[in-house]
């Protein structure tokens, strides 16, 4: 008969083989994750602005984001929640509505990292926006605030430990030029920066690379687009890497700046059926990184 020691050694050997096999499987899974999401090793979180799917509910948008191979969402104010709820994605969302949003995100394995583009009429309302964002674990609020709101928004950033990224719509919107954004954040909280919309810069006739360089160190969020024309406000979205943007050049500049944060696909074309456009664009984005 085998001794107790022999049994113990045999059991330990089996356990060692099991642990080794699990470790190997984990390593393979990790390698697969890196291969599928190469942007993650750069600290980039590639997702979608839910406005891309504005014709649908937030619940439907999450389904489309998941189908496009993305795991992050930038929620936008006013979108109907869906999944049985007619409430909107605003700070007025009820406790039940917020619980539903959190469940929808968890069920899909999608993280809400940003919220915008949002505005508010005064300090009291801005505080409600920040409280709402904090409750949903939002890291960045994208907005285009009035100049007279900047001081108290700066204080709210520090109070709630949430970044504010000033977004640029095309000229003649107030923040269309990065010089205006830089002036707005000068002397204020380091949690205030830019939500760089490279497509809108193109529509305004501004070089996205030059704009990014001006904002170096304060780019906290990116709205990613590629357009069929440069310098035309009526230009429309095309699959990333097939338009006038210069996909790899923008990626290289973000790498050089050591940008960390969310990159939102904002595909504002083919509204009724643009999920596959986002999917192809994300695939092109990742292929350009490999």
């Amino acid at each position: 008969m085998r001794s107790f020691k022999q049994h113990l050694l045999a059991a330990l050997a089996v356990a060692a083989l099991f642990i080794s096999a699990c470790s190997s499987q984990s390593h393979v899974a990790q390698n697969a994750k890196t291969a599928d999401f190469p942007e993650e090793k750069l600290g980039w979180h590639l997702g979608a602005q839910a406005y891309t799917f504005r014709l649908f509910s937030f619940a439907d948008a999450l389904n489309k984001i998941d189908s496009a191979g993305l795991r992050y969402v930038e929620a936008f104010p006013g979108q109907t929640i869906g999944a049985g709820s007619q409430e909107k994605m605003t700070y007025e969302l009820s406790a039940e509505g917020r619980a539903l949003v959190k469940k929808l995100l968890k069920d899909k394995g999608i993280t809400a990292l940003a919220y915008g583009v949002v505005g508010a009429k005064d300090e009291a309302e801005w505080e409600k926006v920040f409280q709402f964002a904090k409750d949903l674990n939002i890291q960045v609020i994208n907005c285009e605030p009035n100049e007279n709101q900047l001081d108290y928004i700066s204080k709210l950033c520090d109070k709630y430990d949430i970044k504010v990224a000033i977004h640029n719509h095309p000229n003649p919107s107030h923040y269309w030029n990065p010089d205006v954004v830089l002036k707005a954040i000068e002397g204020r909280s380091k949690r205030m920066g830019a939500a760089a919309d490279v497509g809108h810069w193109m529509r305004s006739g501004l070089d996205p690379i030059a704009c990014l360089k001006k904002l170096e160190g304060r780019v906290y969020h990116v709205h990613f687009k590629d357009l069929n024309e440069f310098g035309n406000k009526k230009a429309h979205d095309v699959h990333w890497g097939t338009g006038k943007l210069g996909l790899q050049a923008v990626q290289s500049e973000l790498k050089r700046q050591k940008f960390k944060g969310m990159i939102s696909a904002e595909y504002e074309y083919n509204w009724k059926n643009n999920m596959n456009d986002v999917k192809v664009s994300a695939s092109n984005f990742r292929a350009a990184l490999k």
Side-chain angles (χ1 to χ4, degrees), residues 170-192:
N171 186 21
S173 71
H174 183 66
Y175 294 107
W176 74 279
N177 192 301
D179 292 334
V180 182
V181 176
L182 286 172
K183 184 178 179 182
I185 64 178
E186 183 179 3
R188 295 189 166 92
S189 171
K190 292 297 183 183
R191 292 181 174 86
M192 293 186 73

Side-chain angles (χ1 to χ4, degrees), residues 131-178:
Q131 289 170 343
F132 173 66
K134 194 70 175 181
D135 186 36
L136 292 183
N137 296 314
I138 297 294
Q139 296 180 8
V140 181
I141 295 172
N142 294 323
C143 58
E144 295 181 25
N146 293 329
E147 291 261 356
N148 61 7
Q149 299 177 328
L150 293 171
D151 283 340
Y152 58 72
I153 287 176
S154 175
K155 294 176 183 177
L156 289 170
C157 285
D158 294 334
K159 178 178 178 179
Y160 289 94
D161 189 22
I162 293 176
K163 290 179 178 177
V164 154
I166 297 178
H167 176 264
N168 57 285
H169 273 104
N171 186 21
S173 71
H174 183 66
Y175 294 107
W176 74 279
N177 192 301

Side-chain angles (χ1 to χ4, degrees), residues 2 6-23:
R2 298 174 71 184
Q6 288 174 318
H7 281 292
L8 179 60
L9 289 173
L12 289 173
V14 171
L17 287 171
F18 177 76
I19 292 171
S20 177
C22 289
S23 176

Side-chain angles (χ1 to χ4, degrees), residues 250-265:
V250 172
Q251 288 178 331
S252 295
E253 179 57 25
L254 292 173
K255 287 179 186 177
R256 187 193 68 79
Q257 291 191 22
K258 296 181 172 57
F259 166 78
K260 310 289 183 186
M262 183 176 175
I263 299 174
S264 290

Side-chain angles (χ1 to χ4, degrees), residues 206-218:
L206 297 176
D207 176 10
I209 302 299
C211 292
L212 287 170
K213 286 181 176 179
K214 282 187 176 183
L215 294 166
E216 183 167 355
R218 301 302 285 272

Side-chain angles (χ1 to χ4, degrees), residues 198-230:
V198 296
H200 288 333
W201 281 332
M202 293 172 68
R203 289 190 171 99
S204 298
L206 297 176
D207 176 10
I209 302 299
C211 292
L212 287 170
K213 286 181 176 179
K214 282 187 176 183
L215 294 166
E216 183 167 355
R218 301 302 285 272
V219 178
Y220 293 160
H221 190 95
V222 177
H223 278 182
F224 215 91
K225 299 178 174 75
D226 200 349
L227 305 180
N228 66 323
E229 294 182 70
F230 181 88

